[in-house]
């Protein structure tokens, strides 16, 4: 039996009342974008279901991709037939027959949203159950743990038959919550923060600070590889690479050593905020987790955060490193993050960075030099690239959510 479509059930957005149309529209766009390499498919959306019409495209490959799309509760490869008992019987038999292996058990699960249909759910269960028992010798009924659960869903426009319900990634569809800039380092945390933000429907653009020749091409490649993983979610991601060497050198010359880390963070945040403004984002996301390192104490955050009143989202704030590592492993970024690299923040790391830096102090240290031209230059010299996922390195993170 060849499935001719995939039925998609919406996630949490079903509860979103008036925003529903917007959500459906966003989900349709992300499905379309994620399946852009399958030219023959067509996508149809109705108020409570979406359908991917396969037109001969490979159902297995498409299933793997759909598992990763946020906003999908579950989905089922299915066959559609008319509201005609004979046609339905034939399709049911063909589908169950193609899956049947000796000794298998089955049950029928009927759903009827079209109440005008001639049979109710009990009637459907009985008729089709009897039909399969009669025509597939050896098949037995098991309503608790069947090997084959044949779902027969009677809707106004037709009847859908399927045998498999696959769990989706949940969350909200891409871009339904607005846009934010992800400060993406080559470390373990920030890619995980990006994934978690995307799961809530945020569209993200990544910003990476790069300090050649102190940071190598390899460390840039690493960030591009991480961005490729993030790009799997929506089919692409925009990455801004900020040349940061001059700002960092100026900091090193102007600011006392134990405050260079604080000051570096402040300028990174300031520059990210300028890029955000240009790109019309409404928030900045970081991979910070409270207390993890000197720059992530509450005092540090307070002092660094002074440079902007843009919301800073920190999805990992209360998580332990072991939990973060587990997710990094599941979304397949851990191995990339573990490659040795120099981050622009670690190259000039002071021996003892201030763990309780003060706003007045850092403000004063920064006041002896005009950083603005360097900041402006970093923003104008920023390289913006669109990253697409590597199809052949597609991985599974369906277990995660
Ligand atoms: P990560 O694993 O994400 O690098 P970390 O635990 O190493 O985090 P820090 O290096 O202190 O912590 O960085 C804190 C956050 O600052 C990062 O999660 C990231 O959001 C941002 N950040 C650090 N370095 C860079 C960089 N070179 N470019 C862009 N953002 C950065
Ligand atoms: Mg880091």
């Amino acid at each position: 039996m060849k499935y001719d479509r995939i039925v998609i059930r919406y996630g949490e957005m079903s509860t979103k009342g008036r925003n529903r149309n917007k959500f459906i529209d966003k989900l349709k766009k992300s499905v379309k974008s994620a399946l852009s390499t399958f030219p023959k498919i067509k996508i149809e959306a109705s108020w409570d279901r979406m359908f991917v019409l396969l037109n001969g495209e490979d159902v297995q490959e498409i299933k793997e991709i759909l598992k990763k799309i946020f906003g999908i509760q579950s989905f089922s490869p299915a066959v559609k037939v008319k509201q005609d008992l004979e046609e339905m019987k034939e399709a049911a038999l063909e589908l169950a027959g193609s899956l049947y292996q000796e000794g298998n058990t089955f049950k029928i699960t009927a759903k009827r949203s079209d109440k005008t249909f001639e049979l109710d759910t009990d009637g459907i269960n009985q008729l089709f159950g009897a039909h399969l028992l009669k025509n597939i010798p050896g098949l037995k009924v098991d309503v608790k743990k069947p090997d084959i659960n044949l779902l027969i869903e009677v809707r106004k426009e037709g009847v859908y038959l399927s045998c498999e319900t696959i769990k989706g990634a949940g969350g909200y569809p891409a871009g339904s919550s607005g846009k934010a800039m992800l400060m993406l380092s080559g470390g373990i945390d920030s890619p995980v923060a990006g994934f978690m933000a995307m799961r809530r429907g945020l569209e993200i653009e990544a910003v990476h600070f790069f300090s050649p020749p102190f940071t190598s091409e390899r460390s840039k490649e690493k960030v591009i590889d991480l961005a490729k993983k993030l790009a799997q979610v929506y089919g692409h991601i925009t990455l801004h690479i900020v040349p940061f060497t001059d700002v960092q050198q100026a900091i090193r010359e102007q600011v006392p050593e134990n405050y260079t880390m604080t000051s570096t963070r402040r300028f990174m945040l300031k520059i990210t905020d300028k890029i955000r403004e240009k790109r019309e984002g409404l928030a900045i996301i970081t991979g910070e987790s409270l207390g993890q390192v000197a720059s992530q104490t509450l005092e540090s955050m307070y002092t660094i955060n002074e440079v902007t009143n843009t919301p800073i989202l920190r999805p990992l704030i209360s998580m332990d490193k072991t939990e973060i590592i587990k997710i990094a492993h599941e979304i397949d970024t851990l191995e990339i993050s573990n490659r040795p690299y120099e981050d622009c923040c670690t190259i000039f790391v002071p021996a003892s960075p201030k763990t309780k830096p003060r706003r007045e102090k850092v403000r004063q240290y920064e006041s002896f030099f005009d950083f603005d031209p360097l900041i402006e230059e970093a923003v104008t010299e920023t390289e913006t690239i669109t990253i697409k996922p590597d199809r052949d390195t597609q991985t599974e993170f369906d277990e995660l959510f």
Side-chain angles (χ1 to χ4, degrees), residues 185-190 265 292 296 321 341 343 345-346:
S185 69
I188 293 171
D189 304 328
S190 42
R265 297 291 175 168
Q292 208 184 71
Q296 295 174 26
K321 195 77 185 184
Y341 87 118
D343 185 38
C345 297
T346 48

Side-chain angles (χ1 to χ4, degrees), residues 253-374:
E253 280 156 26
Q254 300 300 324
V255 175
E257 203 194 340
N258 59 352
Y259 264 81
T260 52
M261 172 67 94
T262 310
S263 200
T264 303
R265 297 291 175 168
R266 282 163 61 95
F267 286 115
M268 280 170 53
L269 191 56
K270 213 169 185 172
I271 292 169
T272 303
D273 204 31
K274 285 187 182 289
I275 297 171
R276 173 205 62 78
E277 207 178 335
K278 271 189 164 176
R279 306 293 297 185
E280 299 178 340
L282 292 176
I284 294 169
I285 303 158
T286 75
E288 290 164 305
S289 161
L290 193 61
Q292 208 184 71
V293 286
S295 63
Q296 295 174 26
T297 62
L298 208 51
E299 289 83 357
S300 262
M301 284 185 201
Y302 179 74
T303 301
I304 294 165
N305 223 153
E306 187 188 31
V307 302
T308 178
N309 60 13
T310 299
I312 314 263
L313 310 180
R314 300 177 174 94
L316 312 184
I317 197 69
S318 63
M319 287 173 76
D320 291 343
K321 195 77 185 184
T322 48
E323 293 173 277
I324 300 169
I325 288 174
K326 187 164 171 266
I327 300 179
H329 175 69
E330 281 160 332
I331 64 177
D332 207 30
T333 54
L334 185 62
E335 220 176 285
I336 303 172
S337 295
N338 274 339
R339 283 186 213 154
Y341 87 118
E342 333 72 36
D343 185 38
C344 70
C345 297
T346 48
I347 46 172
F348 300 131
V349 170
S352 54
K354 266 270 181 235
T355 53
K356 296 184 176 178
R358 302 229 322 264
R359 284 185 175 189
E360 314 78 73
K361 282 214 165 158
V362 73
R363 228 184 279 145
Q364 193 204 357
Y365 297 144
E366 289 171 2
S367 69
F368 301 118
F369 180 79
D370 184 8
F371 283 93
D372 287 348
L374 290 183

Side-chain angles (χ1 to χ4, degrees), residues 210-212 243-251 369 371 374 377:
F210 179 55
S211 296
F244 198 47
T245 316
D246 293 348
V247 179
Q248 268 194 298
Q249 271 179 334
I251 294 169
F369 180 79
F371 283 93
L374 290 183
E377 198 184 321

Side-chain angles (χ1 to χ4, degrees), residues 104-323:
N104 272 178
T105 56
F106 87 111
K107 83 173 206 187
I108 307 275
T109 305
K111 281 193 181 160
R112 190 183 62 145
S113 61
D114 180 8
K115 304 290 180 210
T116 65
F117 186 65
E118 59 195 280
L119 295 175
D120 63 8
T121 50
D122 282 344
I124 298 170
N125 286 341
Q126 278 163 20
L127 181 75
F128 288 87
H131 183 65
L132 296 193
L133 284 172
K134 195 173 105 195
N135 289 288
I136 306 177
L139 186 67
K140 290 185 196 68
V141 177
D142 182 347
V143 290
K144 287 218 175 82
K145 271 189 97 182
D147 301 309
I148 302 169
N149 184 357
L150 178 61
L151 180 68
I152 302 181
E153 213 177 343
V154 180
R155 293 165 62 90
K156 269 231 147 42
E157 75 276 8
V159 180
Y160 300 90
L161 295 100
S162 58
C163 282
E164 189 185 11
T165 298
I166 300 152
K167 193 167 168 275
Y172 292 143
S176 55
S177 307
K179 191 202 279 188
M181 314 307 285
L182 168 70
M183 294 181 69
L184 181 65
S185 69
I188 293 171
D189 304 328
S190 42
V192 173
F195 265 98
M196 295 183 70
M198 282 193 277
R199 184 166 191 248
R200 284 332 269 178
L202 274 176
E203 179 192 347
I204 61 171
E205 291 192 7
V207 179
H208 177 67
F209 289 82
F210 179 55
S211 296
F214 307 106
T215 56
S216 63
E217 275 304 310
R218 275 192 42 218
S219 74
K220 185 167 156 186
E221 258 166 46
K222 187 178 176 187
V223 170
I224 291 176
D225 287 346
L226 287 170
K228 281 182 183 168
K229 294 286 176 192
L230 296 172
Q232 288 183 2
V233 178
Y234 294 173
H236 62 90
I237 192 169
T238 301
L239 171 64
H240 305 276
I241 299 178
V242 186
F244 198 47
T245 316
D246 293 348
V247 179
Q248 268 194 298
Q249 271 179 334
I251 294 169
R252 193 158 59 153
E253 280 156 26
Q254 300 300 324
V255 175
E257 203 194 340
N258 59 352
Y259 264 81
T260 52
M261 172 67 94
T262 310
S263 200
T264 303
R265 297 291 175 168
R266 282 163 61 95
F267 286 115
M268 280 170 53
L269 191 56
K270 213 169 185 172
I271 292 169
T272 303
D273 204 31
K274 285 187 182 289
I275 297 171
R276 173 205 62 78
E277 207 178 335
K278 271 189 164 176
R279 306 293 297 185
E280 299 178 340
L282 292 176
I284 294 169
I285 303 158
T286 75
E288 290 164 305
S289 161
L290 193 61
Q292 208 184 71
V293 286
S295 63
Q296 295 174 26
T297 62
L298 208 51
E299 289 83 357
S300 262
M301 284 185 201
Y302 179 74
T303 301
I304 294 165
N305 223 153
E306 187 188 31
V307 302
T308 178
N309 60 13
T310 299
I312 314 263
L313 310 180
R314 300 177 174 94
L316 312 184
I317 197 69
S318 63
M319 287 173 76
D320 291 343
K321 195 77 185 184
T322 48
E323 293 173 277

